Amino acid sequence: MARTTDALKMLDQRYKFDPVALDEERFHAQVALLIHDLREEAGLTQQELAERVGTTQSVISRLEDADYEGHSLQMLSRVAHALDRKITLTVDAEPAPTRRRRQLTGTRG
């Protein structure tokens, strides 16, 4: 398999047999990027945002980490409020992916 540095292609290769896990990873990456971009747009450091939210810089760093899976609606609401934003929730009309079982093939000797 050819190596790539494209993040989305890497995710597709890593989770090609598990579309649910791929969808979840993409979601976490999108949330992390959104927090990072909004913070930068506001001209704030992680420490400054942390002070506005009432938490620590390390918590903001975790929230901006694409691998972090602990985003809570309560914390996202606090971040949005600190950045003078509101959260809007939408549910996509497209069906969510479902887990497929891997087919194992082989012979017994």
Side-chain angles (χ1 to χ4, degrees):
M1 180 180 306
R3 293 184 59 94
T4 181
T5 58
D6 182 298
L8 290 178
K9 286 182 182 178
M10 290 168 67
L11 284 175
D12 285 338
Q13 289 172 359
R14 182 181 299 166
Y15 295 104
K16 66 183 173 184
F17 295 111
D18 193 345
V20 173
L22 175 60
D23 197 46
E24 290 170 359
E25 289 294 322
R26 284 182 174 157
F27 173 77
H28 294 301
Q30 288 173 340
V31 171
L33 183 60
L34 178 64
I35 293 170
H36 174 269
D37 289 350
L38 290 173
R39 177 183 59 77
E40 293 232 324
E41 183 180 299
L44 299 173
T45 65
Q46 288 182 344
Q47 180 63 43
E48 291 167 332
L49 178 57
E51 290 168 5
R52 287 187 181 193
V53 171
T55 191
T56 63
Q57 177 275 327
S58 64
V59 168
I60 300 301
S61 178
R62 268 196 309 274
L63 292 173
E64 293 183 0
D65 181 347
D67 292 329
Y68 180 63
E69 298 178 1
H71 299 103
S72 72
L73 188 54
Q74 180 180 21
M75 180 55 82
L76 294 177
S77 180
R78 289 171 56 191
V79 169
H81 180 75
L83 295 170
D84 295 321
R85 300 293 183 119
K86 68 177 186 173
I87 292 179
T88 304
L89 179 67
T90 60
V91 176
D92 196 338
E94 183 178 322
T98 58
R99 294 196 188 272
R100 284 185 269 155
R101 295 183 186 263
R102 290 187 195 183
Q103 298 271 332
L104 298 178
T105 59
T107 59
R108 292 187 180 189

